[in-house]
Amino acid sequence: MTFVITLTTNFFIQTFNHLPTCYEQVTVIFETFENRRQWKGSIYKLVWIDLLVFLLIYYSLNFTYRFALDDTGKELFESVVQYCKLYSTLIPLSFVLGFYVSVVMTRWWNQYTAIPFPDPLAVYVSATVHGQDERGRVMRRTIMRYVCLCVTMMFAMISPRVKKRFPTLDHFIEAGLMHQSEKDIIADLNKKFPNHSKHWLPIVWAASIITRARKEGRIRDDFAVKTMLDELNKFRGQCGLLLSYDMISVPLVYTQVVTLAVYSYFLTTLMGQQWVEGSDYKFDLYFPVFTTLQFFFYVGWLKVAESLINPFGDDDDDFEINWMVDRNLNVSYLIVDEMHHDHPELVRDQYWDEVLPQQLPTTGITTRENQPLPSTANIQVHPKVESDLIGPSSLSKAEELNLMNDMQSGPIMFSAKPGRGSSQTSMGNSVPDSRPMSRTGSVASMFKRLLSREEKPKAEDSQELTQVNVKNPGSAKKLTTEVIEEVDEQTTITSQRSAKESRPTVLGLFGAPPPSEPISVPNSSGNSHSFSRSVYDPFPLSTSAPVTQDDFKDTTDKVSIGSSASEKDEFEELKKKRDEERISRLKLNLLRSTSMVDGGTECDLLLDSNDANEPPSTPRSPASVV
């Protein structure tokens, strides 16, 4: 057993020692396929190293079982094979790997759609920044150069390819995207604020140029300024979104879980898929065909996710960022300078006389296709169905629902009685007050009123209706059809009525009401030009105010807002008199209180004189009573 272990260990050591040399030789061989575009970006390039290691370990274990182990060792080997084959299915590889690849693919496509292109802004600048002189041209080209500088600086922060092309700010100057003065500004800001990127600074410069062009009159309205500033902010937002994708990647824990799941599964497969004596299949297996295919699928799936998790890297399937840098600057200058206010000559099109082409010409290779038809184009309707069309119903949704419930509960019997110039409709005994209606009235309204009544037929009436319906089961359908036709006829008559035709009113039908009897109104016993004074006034202003007959005259027209001081104001006079009475009462109370304290004769004389002059209606204070 020790000899077998030593032999296996030496075999692995020799194999791994020669792996670098083998790798270089195989790489040289596969470079020819890469030059022919058959190797680049293929699954074979991603998987071949892992597959080679997997097959080497597989055959090492297989040869060890076949030629190096004794009977006891073979039994142990077979037990391990059965154990690995049984429990390898417990690893949820398909679920974990499938969900991971789905997340990576969605993130990969979202990163591509978030890449900003300056084409819309270039069209706005070319259309709104006017001026064929040198200054106008400089403004347009500088705005687009700043935009291309912003996106290139952002690409240099997230893409190794662009970083190798523009490692410093001097390389931007050599490429023509930046001037020395602009580099000095950015370098100065990097010294003051080294913790933040300055890729957004050219966008601020471009916005300042747009504002200056508006002040100089090269942009004719503020709406164009707003449109370009909004496009600049959108462009800056997309650059920030790509930086966010770069800083916030798929969690490393999830990537580790998927990688461990894949490689642990195939480690168990190395033993679980070995051929042993007494296996289910009787033939000797020299090459694991389906195990190799399974390795291609799962490991290739994992390698695809690893290569797409960062689409701005150096992988074969990553985005061509350097091409985008060149393309952005070329297209921007082409739109704002070469094609500025330039378009082909206005000529009549080929179908000027025909207004629109009947059918465009095709070559002999292509075939004319018929016009696509909708799904129900070939469905034919039976003639009887076409003849049974019903006009629009005037009932609401709730009333139609009630009608359907009544129809399902049982047939409804109607009895129509002809009248002079009118039609009368009743429904058994449930409508005892049915009266003839004129033809100008809508049958639908009467039908709704009959169905909306809350009264229900009595049990006897219900039994009678049931017996009648049993005797004549086809009458319900016939009468229902007649009612629907009557409703349709009334709707047609109403719709054909002239718009100028007057609608019937109550006065037109019954005439004006007779005049009422005169009502006797009692007169006052005084002057005929004055009204009675016996109106109840719960809060009189003052009993001392004089009341004359002039006070009851109608002075509404004489009252004006903001009148002069010379006019007589009765309210002010009344207020003045009440203030004088209140002051006099205060004086009397003060004199009486003083007389009680001092006992002076002068105060008593004043009190006596005041009491003599005081009117009888004035109330006395409690102190004077004492």
Side-chain angles (χ1 to χ4, degrees):
M1 191 67 182
T2 306
F3 172 74
V4 173
I5 296 175
T6 305
L7 181 63
T8 306
T9 305
N10 292 332
F11 176 79
F12 280 116
I13 292 173
Q14 294 296 328
T15 303
F16 284 107
N17 288 335
H18 291 83
L19 276 179
T21 306
C22 296
Y23 175 76
E24 292 178 358
Q25 294 177 357
V26 174
T27 303
V28 172
I29 294 173
F30 284 123
E31 281 182 355
T32 56
F33 295 97
E34 185 175 358
N35 294 332
R36 296 180 181 179
R37 308 293 296 178
Q38 297 176 359
W39 178 252
K40 184 178 181 180
S42 62
I43 187 176
Y44 314 107
K45 185 178 180 180
L46 296 175
V47 178
W48 74 270
I49 298 178
D50 300 292
L51 180 61
L52 181 61
V53 174
F54 177 80
L55 292 177
L56 286 175
I57 299 175
Y58 179 86
Y59 279 110
S60 300
L61 296 174
N62 189 272
F63 291 157
T64 301
Y65 170 76
R66 290 174 183 269
F67 306 108
L69 295 178
D70 53 2
D71 295 337
T72 305
K74 287 184 177 180
E75 291 179 0
L76 180 61
F77 189 89
E78 292 172 359
S79 300
V80 174
V81 168
Q82 294 295 329
Y83 177 78
C84 294
K85 184 177 181 180
L86 179 63
Y87 288 97
S88 62
T89 57
L90 298 179
I91 301 176
L93 183 61
S94 300
F95 172 75
V96 175
L97 186 59
F99 187 75
Y100 177 73
V101 174
S102 176
V103 171
V104 171
M105 287 294 297
T106 304
R107 188 175 182 272
W108 173 78
W109 181 250
N110 290 337
Q111 289 184 73
Y112 177 76
T113 57
I115 296 176
F117 288 93
D119 303 15
L121 181 61
V123 174
Y124 292 147
V125 171
S126 177
T128 57
V129 181
H130 303 279
Q132 298 291 344
D133 55 344
E134 183 179 357
R135 183 167 178 79
R137 182 185 178 191
V138 168
M139 283 186 171
R140 291 190 294 270
R141 291 177 66 92
T142 305
I143 290 173
M144 298 314 301
R145 180 172 62 84
Y146 284 155
V147 171
C148 294
L149 176 60
C150 170
V151 69
T152 307
M153 292 176 65
M154 185 269 301
F155 282 149
M157 297 171 63
I158 65 176
S159 176
R161 295 181 181 179
V162 184
K163 184 64 176 178
K164 294 176 183 178
R165 184 178 179 183
F166 303 100
T168 61
L169 295 178
D170 294 331
H171 292 81
F172 287 102
I173 297 176
E174 295 178 1
L177 293 172
M178 185 186 296
H179 292 301
Q180 184 63 37
S181 59
E182 299 164 357
K183 177 203 168 183
D184 295 338
I185 296 174
I186 295 177
D188 185 37
L189 285 176
N190 285 331
K191 292 179 180 179
K192 295 179 180 179
F193 308 99
N195 297 327
H196 304 284
S197 63
K198 307 301 182 298
H199 71 281
W200 45 265
L201 192 56
I203 296 293
V204 179
W205 295 340
S208 300
I209 295 175
I210 292 174
T211 306
R212 179 175 297 180
R214 174 58 178 149
K215 291 181 179 179
E216 294 179 4
R218 297 183 181 275
I219 302 176
R220 297 178 181 176
D221 54 0
D222 295 333
F223 183 77
V225 175
K226 182 181 182 303
T227 303
M228 287 188 288
L229 292 180
D230 290 343
E231 192 64 30
L232 278 176
N233 286 326
K234 180 181 177 181
F235 193 90
R236 183 207 57 78
Q238 288 180 307
C239 292
L241 182 59
L242 289 180
L243 288 175
S244 300
Y245 275 116
D246 180 71
M247 291 185 295
I248 305 173
S249 183
V250 178
L252 180 61
V253 178
Y254 195 16
T255 305
Q256 291 176 346
V257 168
V258 176
T259 306
L260 289 175
V262 173
Y263 285 103
S264 61
Y265 176 80
F266 283 103
L267 284 177
T268 58
T269 306
L270 286 173
M271 290 296 295
Q273 299 297 330
Q274 291 286 343
W275 181 86
V276 293
E277 295 178 357
S279 58
D280 295 338
Y281 45 89
K282 302 302 180 182
F283 58 90
D284 193 357
L285 183 64
Y286 296 99
F287 183 79
V289 180
F290 293 99
T291 304
T292 304
L293 293 176
Q294 192 178 28
F295 188 88
F296 260 102
F297 298 151
Y298 285 123
V299 177
W301 213 359
L302 178 63
K303 294 297 181 179
V304 168
E306 291 178 354
S307 63
L308 296 182
I309 196 171
N310 182 21
F312 300 100
D314 295 328
D315 297 329
D316 296 336
D317 293 322
D318 290 339
F319 304 145
E320 298 292 340
I321 305 299
N322 284 321
W323 169 82
M324 292 183 183
V325 171
D326 299 335
R327 182 257 176 205
N328 289 339
L329 190 62
N330 293 334
V331 172
S332 299
Y333 283 165
L334 180 64
I335 294 175
V336 300
D337 194 6
E338 184 69 21
M339 299 177 59
H340 175 62
H341 286 181
D342 188 15
H343 59 81
E345 182 184 358
L346 294 176
V347 295
R348 295 183 178 181
D349 59 88
Q350 182 179 352
Y351 306 100
W352 178 267
D353 297 330
E354 302 177 8
V355 181
L356 52 92
Q358 297 295 330
Q359 193 170 12
L360 295 177
T362 58
T363 61
I365 302 176
T366 60
T367 58
R368 299 182 185 273
E369 298 180 357
N370 296 327
Q371 180 181 356
L373 298 177
S375 301
T376 59
N378 297 324
I379 298 178
Q380 297 181 358
V381 182
H382 196 273
K384 184 178 181 181
V385 177
E386 294 180 354
S387 62
D388 294 341
L389 294 178
I390 302 174
S393 175
S394 60
L395 302 178
S396 62
K397 296 294 183 182
E399 294 171 346
E400 290 179 357
L401 183 60
N402 295 334
L403 178 58
M404 293 175 62
N405 294 334
D406 292 341
M407 291 298 181
Q408 293 176 1
S409 61
I412 302 175
M413 302 301 298
F414 293 91
S415 60
K417 298 181 180 180
R420 181 180 299 177
S422 62
S423 61
Q424 183 178 0
T425 308
S426 61
M427 188 175 69
N429 296 330
S430 62
V431 189
D433 55 347
S434 299
R435 298 175 182 176
M437 297 178 60
S438 60
R439 194 164 183 80
T440 57
S442 175
V443 177
S445 61
M446 180 179 178
F447 190 64
K448 289 187 291 184
R449 189 172 68 253
L450 293 177
L451 292 178
S452 63
R453 293 184 61 86
E454 297 181 357
E455 295 183 0
K456 297 182 179 180
K458 299 179 181 179
E460 299 177 357
D461 298 337
S462 302
Q463 294 177 0
E464 293 178 0
L465 289 174
T466 305
Q467 294 176 359
V468 173
N469 294 333
V470 170
K471 294 179 181 179
N472 193 1
S475 60
K477 289 185 177 180
K478 184 176 181 181
L479 288 176
T480 305
T481 305
E482 292 178 358
V483 170
I484 294 175
E485 291 178 355
E486 181 69 19
V487 172
D488 185 41
E489 181 182 356
Q490 291 295 330
T491 305
T492 305
I493 294 174
T494 306
S495 62
Q496 293 178 355
R497 185 184 301 163
S498 176
K500 297 183 180 180
E501 182 179 353
S502 60
R503 298 176 62 87
T505 59
V506 177
L507 295 178
L509 294 176
F510 301 100
S516 62
E517 297 293 334
I519 301 174
S520 58
V521 180
N523 297 326
S524 61
S525 59
N527 192 4
S528 60
H529 297 284
S530 63
F531 57 88
S532 176
R533 186 61 181 173
S534 61
V535 180
Y536 173 70
D537 189 4
F539 303 102
L541 292 177
S542 175
T543 56
S544 61
V547 179
T548 60
Q549 193 167 351
D550 295 335
D551 296 335
F552 302 101
K553 294 182 180 180
D554 189 7
T555 58
T556 305
D557 296 335
K558 297 180 182 181
V559 177
S560 61
I561 300 175
S563 59
S564 61
S566 60
E567 296 181 359
K568 183 178 180 181
D569 193 347
E570 297 180 357
F571 181 76
E572 293 294 336
E573 291 181 357
L574 182 59
K575 183 179 180 182
K576 184 178 179 181
K577 291 179 180 180
R578 297 188 63 183
D579 291 340
E580 291 176 356
E581 292 178 1
R582 186 172 63 257
I583 291 172
S584 62
R585 292 192 187 95
L586 291 175
K587 288 180 179 181
L588 290 176
N589 293 333
L590 182 60
L591 290 174
R592 288 168 181 164
S593 59
T594 306
S595 63
M596 292 293 294
V597 175
D598 298 337
T601 57
E602 295 180 357
C603 294
D604 294 336
L605 294 174
L606 289 172
L607 286 172
D608 295 338
S609 62
N610 288 331
D611 291 339
N613 297 327
E614 185 180 1
S617 61
T618 303
R620 301 293 297 270
S621 63
S624 62
V625 174
V626 176

